[in-house]
Amino acid sequence: MIYRPFGKTDVKVSRLGFGCMRFPLTDENNPAKIDEPKATELLHYAIDSGINLLDNAWPYHREMSEKFVGKTLKDGYREKVYVSTKLPVWLIKEKGNSRKYFNEQLKRLQTDTFDLYLLHALGKTSWKIVKEFDVLAFLDEVKAAGKIRYPGFSFHDELPLFKEIVDAYPWAFCLIHLNYVDDDFQAGIEGLEYAHNKGLAVMVMEPLRGGKLANNVPSEILEIIKESGRKQTPAEFALRFLYNRPEVRCVLSGMSTVEQVQQNIEFTSKEHVNTLSAKELSLYARAKEIYKSRIKVNCTQCGYCMPCSQKIPISFILGMYNDAYMYEAIEDSRWMYRVFVKPENRADKCTACSECEEKCPQKISIAEHLKKAHKVLSEDKV
Ligand SMILES: NC(=O)c1ccc[n+]([C@@H]2O[C@H](COP(=O)([O-])OP(=O)(O)OC[C@H]3O[C@@H](n4cnc5c(N)ncnc54)[C@H](OP(=O)(O)O)[C@@H]3O)[C@@H](O)[C@H]2O)c1
């Protein structure tokens, strides 16, 4: 395993971190049902093999992930890892709420200190909450009390806001969505460089696009990977793109089998910084173009369409609809729709009021696309 200095901090983190939101399940339709024996084996194997960062969050596995990880970090395992979790900013309705969730998280994870603590999924709405309820002052307070070592944030919005947030607080690190298809999405490569140059350690989430860049990869993409002349799996092709960048301090992957952990650790045990040639970089650009050419709706997930009067998570649904075609992953998207969108908020509840369409910078016919998305995602014939 390769370890990297973590920004300006005094710790070194493994270049591969363990994302705790994709543990094996005993019931595939219920993320709360973690298969504890299998997941414990997975986690202990990862730690024994050198992974020293576990990334968690309040909502993962319907709030069961933190509790489960707390239970597994016995017998010296807690001391071998940096424990990271995130404040569910969207749940904060008044000032005292940050402390309430924070204390509950300490209990769930059975620890006195979080090594890394993030404000979860910052974007336009949650950043307003942070300001309104003095959440940054709360971070200062728990840091001064020694209850967190390093404050950070994860991000899901557009680049200008990312830069504003980077500059607003002495963060130790941030967590951004990045992979070779999404190199200009949200913070993107420009955000990676910006945060790195400001001294933040940058961690990456969704390096394999939740598995879509690794499994059932279309034949055209496999052909491109072959052209690299390297013997590599699609997962390695995707990870290599990130490990090539010196600014990426840690790549989090939500691995769900021991084989995936083994493969990713083996790959991460070699040095890949600045090893991609110009020809290889052009292969990533071509692969990205192929994926992008399959998009159904030109939604950039900026979130300007929200809130919806019917509480339909518009950009989340359009994202799943696009993913179904981009990655030939209709069953995956259907599973997400079934498990993560309540029946009363599904796309068929759209009243075509057009409020969202007036706010959409891309001028998308949202009502029409929601109708189509519902048909595809609710298991009608495609
Ligand atoms: N803060 C936030 O807002 C936020 C949002 C998203 C994620 N995150 C964090 O970032 C972590 C990483 O994101 P992610 O889980 O989406 O990571 P990812 O690496 O993009 O996706 C993980 C999935 O990739 C597949 N996979 C992994 N290694 C593989 C291999 N060697 N060969 C084949 N398939 C492989 C598996 O899919 P299958 O199970 O289908 O095989 C696995 O479940 C999360 O777990 C979470 O901790 C944070």
Side-chain angles (χ1 to χ4, degrees):
M1 176 60 64
I2 286 185
Y3 298 86
R4 284 270 180 274
F6 200 58
K8 294 176 184 160
T9 74
D10 58 356
V11 303
K12 280 193 170 185
V13 297
S14 49
R15 200 125 201 255
L16 178 68
F18 201 108
C20 297
M21 69 173 213
R22 296 188 197 273
F23 288 124
L25 303 173
T26 53
D27 170 356
E28 69 140 349
N29 286 321
N30 186 351
K33 300 280 181 200
I34 296 174
D35 185 331
E36 296 201 0
K38 271 196 195 162
T40 304
E41 186 195 343
L42 199 63
L43 214 46
H44 285 178
Y45 177 84
I47 299 170
D48 291 338
S49 310
I51 288 184
N52 72 1
L53 195 153
L54 307 185
D55 178 70
N56 218 315
W58 177 272
Y60 290 176
H61 285 283
R62 296 203 174 137
E63 297 185 26
M64 296 309 289
S65 185
E66 291 176 322
K67 284 184 196 155
F68 162 70
V69 171
K71 278 193 280 181
T72 57
L73 291 183
K74 297 276 165 63
D75 304 323
Y77 277 100
R78 171 66 186 90
E79 289 68 38
K80 292 182 185 172
V81 291
Y82 297 118
V83 168
S84 167
T85 197
K86 314 186 187 82
L87 182 70
V89 176
W90 60 92
L91 294 179
I92 295 174
K93 306 281 183 255
E94 55 187 76
K95 240 181 170 177
N97 283 171
S98 302
R99 183 177 320 284
K100 181 178 90 176
Y101 292 116
F102 182 84
N103 286 338
E104 177 60 24
Q105 287 178 299
L106 286 174
K107 259 195 235 154
R108 286 181 179 182
L109 275 152
Q110 304 189 30
T111 187
D112 299 328
T113 314
F114 295 127
D115 302 292
L116 279 62
Y117 195 67
L118 300 89
L119 304 188
H120 196 172
L122 291 188
K124 280 179 272 304
T125 312
S126 47
W127 187 232
K128 265 193 215 144
I129 296 176
V130 169
K131 290 181 183 163
E132 188 178 346
F133 298 117
D134 278 342
V135 179
L136 296 176
F138 173 73
L139 277 187
D140 283 340
E141 187 191 317
V142 281
K143 187 164 182 297
K147 291 184 175 180
I148 65 172
R149 292 175 72 188
Y150 304 113
F153 67 96
S154 67
F155 184 77
H156 289 290
D157 209 310
E158 296 187 325
L159 182 62
L161 179 64
F162 178 74
K163 292 182 177 177
E164 180 187 325
I165 295 175
V166 165
D167 292 336
Y169 186 78
W171 310 102
F173 70 101
C174 62
L175 173 59
I176 62 172
H177 171 127
L178 195 67
N179 56 61
Y180 71 84
V181 179
D182 299 319
D183 61 347
D184 54 359
F185 177 65
Q186 297 181 355
I189 293 287
E190 191 178 334
L192 166 70
E193 290 170 350
Y194 187 84
H196 173 77
N197 290 336
K198 297 272 176 165
L200 278 74
V202 184
M203 301 204 295
V204 165
M205 59 186 153
E206 306 201 48
L208 304 176
R209 253 251 178 203
K212 295 188 179 69
L213 299 180
N215 304 313
N216 304 321
V217 171
S219 55
E220 297 147 276
I221 303 290
L222 292 176
E223 283 306 313
I224 289 181
I225 296 175
K226 255 194 215 158
E227 279 184 49
S228 69
R230 297 184 198 258
K231 200 170 172 293
Q232 58 184 338
T233 64
E236 288 167 354
F237 179 73
L239 291 174
R240 194 184 294 279
F241 176 79
L242 297 167
Y243 288 150
N244 184 58
R245 305 284 318 202
E247 304 93 338
V248 172
R249 290 291 127 157
C250 177
V251 171
L252 297 177
S253 183
M255 298 157 284
S256 42
T257 65
V258 169
E259 292 71 31
Q260 290 173 357
V261 180
Q262 275 168 345
Q263 285 165 13
N264 295 350
I265 287 180
E266 196 187 326
F267 186 68
T268 312
S269 67
K270 293 171 203 115
E271 185 52 87
H272 301 289
V273 169
N274 293 328
T275 54
L276 286 177
S277 64
K279 181 195 151 200
E280 279 181 284
L281 287 169
S282 73
L283 297 178
Y284 287 98
R286 271 175 49 207
K288 172 183 167 177
E289 281 318 306
I290 290 176
Y291 280 125
K292 293 275 175 188
S293 70
R294 298 165 170 225
I295 279 177
K296 288 278 173 192
V297 192
N298 188 29
C299 171
T300 61
Q301 305 199 303
C302 68
Y304 283 101
C305 52
M306 301 301 284
C308 159
S309 58
Q310 302 302 307
K311 298 198 169 70
I312 298 169
I314 299 170
S315 57
F316 182 60
I317 291 176
L318 296 182
M320 287 186 286
Y321 179 47
N322 274 336
D323 282 358
Y325 292 92
M326 281 173 81
Y327 303 104
E328 297 177 5
I330 287 188
E331 287 313 320
D332 264 21
S333 289
R334 285 177 176 163
W335 180 85
M336 300 263 294
Y337 195 57
R338 199 166 58 235
V339 171
F340 293 112
V341 187
K342 292 183 190 148
E344 61 269 31
N345 306 127
R346 292 196 181 146
D348 58 334
K349 299 297 178 297
C350 171
T351 58
C353 70
S354 82
E355 231 178 82
C356 55
E357 296 186 2
E358 282 153 29
K359 291 186 278 183
C360 173
Q362 317 297 329
K363 303 287 164 237
I364 295 170
S365 308
I366 295 176
E368 192 187 315
H369 283 297
L370 282 179
K371 218 187 226 176
K372 289 183 188 160
H374 181 73
K375 190 163 159 26
V376 170
L377 299 175
S378 58
E379 295 177 340
D380 285 345
K381 231 180 161 16
V382 184

